[in-house]
Amino acid sequence: MAVGGRRAAAGVLTRHCGSCVCPPLLHPLTSRLQTQHPQALILISGDFNHAPPSTTLPTFTQYVTCLTRDSKILDLCYANTMEAYRSSPLPPLGRSDHKLVHLLPVYKPPVERQPAVSLTVRRWSDEAEDALKDCFHRTEWDSFCDSHGEDMDGLTNTVTDYINFCVDNPIPTRTVRCYPNNKPWITPDIKALLKEKKRAFKSGNKDELKAAQRELRRKIREGKNMYRRKMEDQLQQNNVSEVWRGLKTISGHKGSDHQLCLTWRSRGTL
């Protein structure tokens, strides 16, 4: 299921599972889920009467802080994110001797915690590249050397400014907004298909919804394959910095706000 645009996996443990056998079984299960879905929200709830899994789940946070049975806290809820909920007790349900626990969410997704970043990117095309090549071909490069002589710093600055001037003229630009929850393989085509899927859902046309979903899955596969090939090419070219940036993005490691936008700009897809 999805919670606030995020995938979520929830597990409820019964009284039988709350034995000493259950915690060792949680570790491989949660590890597999976190490997397959590093950005997913994982919730584990149960009556851990004898074996609280705090040592089994060191990266999870336990959110039930109110008494759930007499003077004890037996019903626990773990999540793989910090500062997500606060708990408050409610009356027991029916004849149960356990109080109900009301978890109020305080977690804000990254798209709400971090503002969108606006960047100006260039839209490269075959026509723009031909125009730039023609500009460089008609340039009298010897005039730069003659005017500066042995002054290498002045020559470097002048040539750099001229190249930037040539790039600014034929290459069109556009301003894009990058959100912190965007993935590097999400392209404008995929965003358009997401809007089309929402439109089909609101219209109630099941055939259009299925067609949009199939096309969306195909485009996402293409985007991921393109990103994978880019990572492989960078690895073969010993581009360690870009490979490390891509690995941090895939693993969900927190980076700078401009990371995804810089990745998109280097792909030249905008």
Side-chain angles (χ1 to χ4, degrees):
M1 62 180 176
V3 178
R6 229 181 145 194
R7 290 183 178 272
V12 178
L13 304 181
T14 62
R15 183 182 297 271
H16 176 71
C17 290
S19 62
C20 59
V21 182
C22 187
L25 300 179
L26 287 177
H27 185 267
L29 177 61
T30 55
S31 299
R32 178 170 57 85
L33 287 175
Q34 288 180 303
T35 302
Q36 295 176 349
H37 308 285
Q39 296 293 331
L41 173 64
I42 301 177
L43 301 172
I44 301 176
S45 177
D47 178 7
F48 297 96
N49 197 357
H50 301 289
S54 300
T55 56
T56 307
L57 305 174
T59 60
F60 281 62
T61 303
Q62 202 285 115
Y63 287 101
V64 179
T65 58
C66 57
L67 303 178
T68 60
R69 183 183 180 188
D70 297 331
S71 59
K72 299 180 180 179
I73 303 177
L74 302 180
D75 303 282
L76 306 179
C77 180
Y78 290 83
N80 62 332
T81 183
M82 299 178 65
E83 300 179 359
Y85 301 98
R86 64 176 184 269
S87 62
S88 60
L90 292 177
L93 183 65
R95 297 183 178 180
S96 174
D97 57 350
H98 287 247
K99 298 177 183 178
L100 293 178
V101 179
H102 187 199
L103 292 179
L104 299 175
V106 297
Y107 169 79
K108 291 184 178 180
V111 69
E112 295 181 4
R113 285 188 278 117
Q114 303 175 14
V117 180
S118 297
L119 285 181
T120 301
V121 297
R122 305 188 185 278
R123 302 194 64 176
W124 293 89
S125 62
D126 295 337
E127 294 78 7
E129 290 181 1
D130 293 338
L132 185 60
K133 291 178 181 178
D134 183 66
C135 178
F136 289 155
H137 180 72
R138 291 185 288 105
T139 300
E140 294 292 340
W141 297 102
D142 293 338
S143 60
F144 294 104
C145 299
D146 296 339
S147 60
H148 288 85
E150 299 297 331
D151 185 8
M152 296 302 298
D153 293 336
L155 176 61
T156 301
N157 294 332
T158 302
V159 172
T160 301
D161 293 339
Y162 177 74
I163 292 176
N164 292 333
F165 170 77
C166 293
V167 171
D168 291 338
N169 284 333
I171 310 300
T173 61
R174 64 173 295 191
T175 301
V176 297
R177 291 174 60 84
C178 296
Y179 297 89
N181 61 339
N182 280 348
K183 301 300 180 183
W185 51 79
I186 300 298
T187 62
D189 293 338
I190 294 179
K191 287 189 175 183
L193 287 173
L194 286 172
K195 293 181 180 179
E196 178 64 21
K197 178 183 175 181
K198 292 180 181 179
R199 186 200 62 79
F201 175 76
K202 291 180 179 179
S203 65
N205 192 323
K206 295 183 178 181
D207 294 334
E208 288 187 2
L209 181 60
K210 290 181 180 179
Q213 181 64 30
R214 286 195 300 268
E215 184 65 16
L216 179 61
R217 286 198 298 265
R218 186 180 68 83
K219 283 293 184 180
I220 291 177
R221 284 197 301 268
E222 291 180 358
K224 289 184 176 181
N225 289 334
M226 184 184 302
Y227 187 73
R228 175 182 56 82
R229 289 193 296 268
K230 177 190 172 185
M231 292 288 296
E232 292 174 351
D233 293 340
Q234 291 173 348
L235 188 61
Q236 293 176 357
Q237 297 171 4
N238 292 327
N239 194 343
V240 180
S241 60
E242 290 294 334
V243 172
W244 180 241
R245 182 182 292 114
L247 290 176
K248 289 195 295 184
T249 302
I250 294 174
S251 62
H253 187 274
K254 294 182 180 179
S256 63
D257 296 340
H258 298 272
Q259 177 175 329
L260 293 178
C261 289
L262 293 175
T263 304
W264 283 16
R265 183 168 60 182
S266 64
R267 290 172 55 186
T269 55
L270 293 177

